[in-house]
Amino acid sequence: MSQVATARVVVCDIVLLSYNSLHLLTECLEGLFANPDVPSRLIIVDNASEPDVREFLSHVTPRGGIIDVKIVQNEENEGFSCGMNRGIRLSSASFVCLLNNDTVPAPHWLSRML
């Protein structure tokens, strides 16, 4: 009997815009990864941050088993609207959530919102 791998269905894509502010980004990601309760993909769009932030982002990996991570590194700051729109265009989930980097998600925030 052969085993067939099943892909996890991503319910919501979370678009997070990043521009410097490493301390805010760190707190946001810690809250996001602390209690994942909805199969999601985190799309982080970095708007040409300083090298320390870009380095940090290169090491962001999912924790908790149900959040995938995709990082987009812009070579120039496209601004809020263009950066968020870039992330939205990468979405393929049924729902998209726009998340500011100064947000600290609470437990069950996404399932309650959906």
Side-chain angles (χ1 to χ4, degrees), residues 11-88:
V11 174
C12 184
D13 283 326
I14 303 165
V15 179
L16 173 63
L17 189 66
S18 169
Y19 178 69
N20 294 325
S21 301
L22 184 56
H23 67 287
L24 293 176
L25 179 62
T26 302
E27 289 178 18
C28 179
L29 291 177
E30 286 173 0
L32 185 66
F33 290 136
N35 297 300
D37 63 342
V38 175
S40 307
R41 176 179 36 239
L42 173 62
I43 302 170
I44 302 174
V45 179
D46 183 67
N47 253 346
S49 291
E50 297 295 323
D52 62 329
V53 176
R54 293 170 74 92
E55 174 66 20
F56 172 81
L57 287 172
S58 72
H59 298 291
V60 172
T61 57
R63 289 181 280 170
I66 65 170
I67 299 178
D68 296 329
V69 177
K70 177 168 183 57
I71 309 290
V72 177
Q73 295 277 3
N74 290 338
E75 294 306 315
E76 59 184 48
N77 188 335
E78 298 180 334
F80 181 83
S81 298
C82 288
M84 284 296 197
N85 284 333
R86 181 179 296 276
I88 292 168

Side-chain angles (χ1 to χ4, degrees), residues 10 24 41 74 97-98 103:
V10 172
L24 293 176
R41 176 179 36 239
N74 290 338
C97 174
L98 304 181
T103 304

